[in-house]
Amino acid sequence: MTRDEMRTVGLLFGEELALGLVEPGQVDVPEVRKAVRSHPVPSRVSRFFQRVQQRRGALTYDRYSVQPMMAARRAVLGDAAAGRPKVLVRADEFPHWEAWDKPELYGTQAGRHFHATMTAADVPYLMAVTPRIPRQGSDADGTADRPHTDDELELLAQMRRDGVAFAVHGLDHRTRHANPRRHSEFTGLRRADVAERLDTAQGLLRDQALHADVFVPPWNRFDAGSWTELASRFDVVCGGPESIGTMGFHMTPSWRGEAVWLPAYAPLYGRAEDVLPAVRALLEQETALWVPVVLHWGGERDRDWHALDELCALLGSEGLARPWEDFLLAARASRQLAGTMERDREREHG
């Protein structure tokens, strides 16, 4: 196994390895090697085909991520492979990228309602934060943006006090491309330009005492060539269905270089009413994996918060939603485990 694959093994069996229930040498079996196999970014044609297959329901999270990973766990742990899903809830985004244009819909009041719902249900989550708010962010020729308002700063500070984790959500969430199918703040940029935008965004968040080890690209798109820059700054890089067009479809979570790649796919990406039955199914199937879930609080507001309370009740009362710090600690431990496995392999082969 490669270093990336060994680190992914650490995410798959982290708790069992830490407790001594399984030894590193026991995980080198065909089912595990298949589940953690690291694939390169596919060609442009292959990525397009994968996106089509995903939209048609032929390329699914359950079949191509959950099933192989659980088969790997069963091959090593037997009946002990089953357990409760470890759900990582990500919310996109605050302030909303249309907060300047439509404050009556996506202003701080709606963001406060979402946060209150999550905290009342005891659901830990990560909020993707945009440091600058654009005017008409879907206009690729636009330039106007603004800093956070006082009420936005107040809510972000409340989130911090309430234990919300944070991610950098670009700098201003303005697309560089007019075509909605290509909306992105980061595609087409040189590495130096990516670095400059991230330097500014991270600096603005640090000024607000918002620490972020996670990156969430606006519209889930960035060029695969930007990975090295992103991985040098963040422990975890997130994505979504749109990421298939730039990165391809990959099992989640998995290590790529110096960061964990954590895309979320349907039905766990989208509306609470769709996420709810999917989470219930994973619970009933005793899917003992890290499970990324993405909600868009602006979309939940558009549906009058339909099903959000019910989803939060399930995640909170069953203790399924895990703090993001737990995952970040697991990622760091998996990095150390890979180092141990590499040293053991070197000793074996002299």
Side-chain angles (χ1 to χ4, degrees):
M1 286 188 281
T2 67
R3 180 175 298 176
D4 284 353
E5 291 165 352
M6 287 187 282
R7 289 176 174 179
T8 303
V9 166
L11 293 176
L12 193 55
F13 295 97
E15 293 179 7
E16 291 82 7
L17 287 161
L19 294 171
L21 301 177
V22 61
E23 296 297 326
Q26 294 176 265
V27 300
D28 193 5
V29 297
E31 293 86 351
V32 174
R33 290 195 295 270
K34 177 181 178 182
V36 302
R37 186 170 298 139
S38 181
H39 296 280
V41 174
S43 69
R44 182 176 180 180
V45 172
S46 295
R47 297 195 305 268
F48 175 80
F49 179 71
Q50 286 182 337
R51 191 75 172 106
V52 171
Q53 292 296 92
Q54 188 264 338
R55 288 170 177 162
R56 292 177 176 174
L59 184 63
T60 67
Y61 166 69
D62 178 70
R63 182 175 179 183
Y64 290 97
S65 192
V66 171
Q67 291 185 25
M69 286 188 168
M70 284 304 297
R73 285 182 55 82
R74 285 190 293 271
V76 174
L77 300 170
D79 292 342
R84 300 165 69 79
K86 297 171 286 189
V87 178
L88 296 167
V89 180
R90 167 187 136 204
D92 293 356
E93 67 275 313
F94 188 83
H96 194 280
W97 70 284
E98 293 185 288
W100 192 355
D101 301 319
K102 302 175 182 178
E104 71 285 358
L105 297 179
Y106 307 121
T108 307
Q109 182 177 354
R112 197 177 301 279
H113 179 99
F114 177 82
H115 176 65
T117 301
M118 302 293 279
T119 54
D122 197 24
V123 176
Y125 71 100
L126 174 140
M127 178 61 79
V129 182
T130 303
R132 303 284 300 186
I133 313 308
R135 170 168 283 174
Q136 297 179 333
S138 60
D139 179 5
D141 296 322
T143 58
D145 62 28
R146 64 162 176 79
H148 294 162
T149 62
D150 288 344
D151 61 337
E152 289 167 350
L153 290 171
E154 180 183 345
L155 179 52
L156 285 167
Q158 182 64 54
M159 290 178 184
R160 185 183 67 242
R161 291 192 295 270
D162 290 339
V164 172
F166 297 103
V168 175
H169 196 39
L171 173 59
D172 60 11
H173 210 296
R174 179 177 299 284
T175 182
R176 303 186 64 252
H177 311 282
N179 185 341
R181 294 186 178 182
R182 298 184 61 209
H183 276 179
S184 171
E185 182 184 332
F186 285 91
T187 57
L189 291 177
R190 298 176 304 158
R191 180 170 178 174
D193 296 325
V194 171
E196 182 179 4
R197 297 189 75 81
L198 293 176
D199 282 342
T200 303
Q202 290 178 291
L204 290 171
L205 294 186
R206 280 194 296 268
D207 289 344
Q208 298 177 32
L210 301 181
H211 180 73
D213 291 319
V214 181
F215 178 68
V216 175
W219 290 287
N220 293 302
R221 294 187 181 100
F222 59 88
D223 291 330
S226 298
W227 180 264
T228 301
E229 181 64 36
L230 297 174
S232 72
R233 295 168 177 266
F234 302 101
D235 292 334
V236 179
V237 178
C238 296
E242 298 87 351
S243 304
I244 297 172
T246 55
M247 290 289 289
F249 184 96
H250 301 276
M251 286 183 286
T252 181
S254 61
W255 274 89
R256 298 189 68 85
E258 295 307 309
V260 176
W261 177 224
L262 188 69
Y265 302 119
L268 297 168
Y269 181 103
R271 301 176 297 183
E273 61 204 70
D274 298 322
V275 172
L276 178 60
V279 171
R280 282 178 175 153
L282 292 171
L283 178 60
E284 292 170 0
Q285 294 161 11
E286 298 185 294
T287 305
L289 301 173
W290 291 106
V291 175
V293 164
V294 176
L295 299 171
H296 294 79
W297 67 265
E300 298 305 321
R301 181 259 168 227
D302 291 343
R303 289 178 288 280
D304 198 25
W305 312 106
H306 176 65
L308 182 62
D309 286 339
E310 192 175 358
L311 173 62
C312 288
L314 174 65
L315 293 171
S317 64
E318 294 288 347
L320 301 181
R322 298 283 288 269
W324 275 73
E325 183 59 30
D326 287 0
F327 183 68
L328 290 168
L329 289 172
R332 292 162 192 154
S334 68
R335 185 194 296 268
Q336 295 173 354
L337 171 69
T340 300
M341 293 175 69
E342 283 185 315
R343 289 190 293 271
D344 290 346
R345 187 167 60 181
E346 288 172 0
R347 282 195 294 268
E348 281 183 18
H349 297 284

